Amino acid sequence: MTTATSSIEAPEQKVGRLNAELRGKSAQEIISAAVREFGRKITYVSSFGAESAAMLGLIAEVDPGMPIVFIDTGHLFPETLAYRDRLVDLLKLENVHSQQPDPAALAARDPDVFLWSSDPDACCALRKVEPLAVALTGYDAWITGRKRYQSVTRSSLPLFEADGAHVKVNPLASWGMADVVAYLDTHDLPRHPLVAKGYPSIGCIPCTSPVKPGEDARAGRWRGRGKTECGIHTQTLNAGQDI
Ligand code: SF4
């Protein structure tokens, strides 16, 4: 139950309460509860990638005015940008904000636009983690589309988790690929055009490759680099902080 006292709960307490209250509930119920809990202080951070249309459809059902953040790294596939525009239009999403990296930081730290090759962790910090920290300013919570099935690093993902001053909400944690496909089919939502070309997980152009049958869905991300996450889910995000 949301009470006046919940506003003074520490994020860890809030997470414990919400995980207990929402265990076994549907994605729609979890999103609705998160909106009741955080009001306009929650945003969905979307890549508009291979599985994003499911969460975007759910948000359009529950609250089409929810703020949605899209991190435009400058290295995205043109298909992703076109897919974003198509879904925004189709689902009548009212509040999508594209956040770019800081131009001065790009000029200083990636003048040759080759950082993705020489130091991909630094590139992700510059083009993803830091812009997201800026975009989350003023929010108490953010929704992610992560799912336990996607990789071993996500296999124990909770519904709610503390992330520094923020709460992260994972309404689709228990969903599998079959659930995503069923939702997209039921609601007649378009797939990202690169899925049919062998990309079950889609990030930046230099760091995304097709996946072979039987491989982990994220095997094509940073292939051969020993890197599995960009950092937005493995670092605490606080605007203004050096990350
Ligand atoms: S995914 Fe690759 S290109 Fe994109 S920000 Fe990270 S290192 Fe840079």
Side-chain angles (χ1 to χ4, degrees):
M1 182 174 69
T2 302
T3 67
T5 56
S6 67
S7 63
I8 57 172
E9 284 178 307
E12 290 78 8
Q13 291 175 296
K14 195 182 291 276
V15 160
R17 175 174 56 81
L18 290 169
N19 274 322
E21 289 175 1
L22 276 305
R23 183 176 299 121
K25 300 294 186 184
S26 70
Q28 286 96 332
E29 288 172 312
I30 294 164
I31 295 168
S32 296
V35 170
R36 284 197 301 276
E37 185 76 29
F38 298 104
R40 277 289 172 264
K41 294 283 191 177
I42 189 168
T43 181
Y44 170 41
V45 178
S46 180
S47 65
F48 287 80
E51 301 178 11
S52 298
M55 182 72 83
L56 290 162
L58 290 163
I59 286 173
E61 287 181 39
V62 173
D63 180 10
M66 179 187 289
I68 295 171
V69 169
F70 171 72
I71 304 298
D72 183 354
T73 65
H75 281 312
L76 297 177
F77 289 91
E79 290 91 339
T80 298
L81 302 179
Y83 188 56
R84 172 200 59 188
D85 295 344
R86 185 178 180 195
L87 288 176
V88 167
D89 190 46
L90 188 68
L91 295 169
K92 298 182 172 42
L93 300 169
E94 300 165 2
N95 200 0
V96 178
H97 167 67
S98 291
Q99 180 77 42
Q100 274 101 22
D102 174 45
L106 285 178
R109 291 155 54 190
D110 193 10
D112 302 323
V113 198
F114 205 60
L115 195 58
W116 62 268
S117 177
S118 59
D119 189 344
D121 286 339
C123 185
C124 280
L126 173 64
R127 293 175 179 273
K128 289 189 175 182
V129 180
E130 293 171 24
L132 178 58
V134 172
L136 289 178
T137 302
Y139 290 109
D140 294 335
W142 53 298
I143 293 175
T144 91
R146 292 176 299 162
K147 305 163 194 74
R148 295 180 190 127
Y149 93 89
Q150 287 172 320
S151 66
V152 290
T153 57
R154 298 182 177 183
S155 60
S156 57
L157 192 64
L159 294 177
F160 294 84
E161 53 186 328
D163 177 38
H166 296 103
V167 170
K168 281 204 287 197
V169 187
N170 308 305
L172 307 187
S174 66
W175 279 35
M177 177 55 88
D179 299 304
V180 175
V181 169
Y183 186 91
L184 299 183
D185 285 346
T186 301
H187 295 82
D188 199 22
L189 291 174
R191 268 61 169 183
H192 191 299
L194 292 180
V195 170
K197 297 181 178 178
Y199 296 80
S201 177
I202 301 157
C204 293
I205 295 170
C207 306
T208 307
S209 58
V211 166
K212 301 182 191 72
E215 281 189 315
D216 187 291
R218 289 175 61 83
R221 305 290 292 276
W222 304 282
R223 188 182 286 282
R225 303 300 298 262
K227 177 175 167 67
T228 57
E229 297 278 353
C230 65
I232 67 171
H233 296 301
T234 54
Q235 301 175 37
T236 298
L237 298 174
N238 291 310
Q241 167 190 320
D242 266 337
I243 296 173

